[in-house]
Amino acid sequence: MKSLEMLLVWTHGLSGAAWFGAIFYRTLVVDGKALAFFRSRAEYEHFSAHLAHNMRYFVVAGLLTCGLSGFALVGLRWDGASTLWLALVAAKGAAWLGACVLFTYVSWVHWPWRVCAAPAEFDAYRRHGQRLALGMVALAGTGFALGQACRAVPWLTA
């Protein structure tokens, strides 16, 4: 494997793993533990907002790194003769784009509403946020699965 291709494979894999790991850990571990730890919902909401503060820029950088390295890999490994490979690459691109759109909504729409919510609205915003976060976990996991399927196409069609 050429050096540039290897660099792109590692960059793409690590940035995708960082995205998946961060959203998985936050959604399925930290959120539930924090909810049980704080005595009041207001304290939990304050902690949750504090934890997320200024993280969106790191996540955006990671998503861009993952997307751009993936786009470059598609160019290096182009297989226009395989409709299966093209369909998998298109689906992987759609999963990445879906994750970007969902993260943008969560960061610039849902979180400001949640931070400014009245105490009576905390439960509804938390449930909505959990569904959105699980959607991001699912999209990131789908991207990994599709990437591995793209790698397997030459062996499946040989």
Side-chain angles (χ1 to χ4, degrees):
M1 192 178 283
K2 295 177 242 158
S3 297
L4 174 61
E5 189 175 358
M6 183 61 80
L7 176 67
L8 288 169
V9 165
W10 277 94
T11 300
H12 187 68
L14 288 174
S15 60
W19 160 252
F20 179 78
I23 194 65
F24 182 91
Y25 184 70
R26 170 66 196 262
T27 302
L28 298 174
V29 177
V30 173
D31 197 51
K33 295 261 188 193
L35 185 62
F37 178 79
F38 290 102
R39 296 185 201 282
S40 76
R41 285 306 287 267
E43 288 177 324
Y44 163 77
E45 291 297 331
H46 180 73
F47 169 76
S48 194
H50 177 73
L51 193 60
H53 181 66
N54 282 336
M55 291 308 297
R56 67 177 61 137
Y57 304 106
F58 293 105
V59 175
V60 167
L63 282 170
L64 283 175
T65 300
C66 187
L68 292 174
S69 60
F71 182 75
L73 281 169
V74 166
L76 288 174
R77 295 182 171 181
W78 184 260
D79 185 3
S82 172
T83 55
L84 175 59
W85 186 84
L86 291 172
L88 290 169
V89 166
K92 184 171 168 61
W96 175 82
L97 186 59
C100 290
V101 168
L102 190 54
F103 181 77
T104 299
Y105 172 79
V106 168
S107 293
W108 281 275
V109 177
H110 177 77
W111 268 103
W113 289 347
R114 183 174 175 170
V115 169
C116 297
E121 300 172 315
F122 286 166
D123 286 337
Y125 275 106
R126 182 176 184 281
R127 281 192 308 274
H128 186 225
Q130 281 295 106
R131 286 192 302 271
L132 293 169
L134 288 171
M136 286 189 279
V137 170
L139 286 168
T142 299
F144 268 109
L146 290 168
Q148 294 307 307
C150 287
R151 292 184 63 210
V153 166
W155 293 288
L156 294 174
T157 58

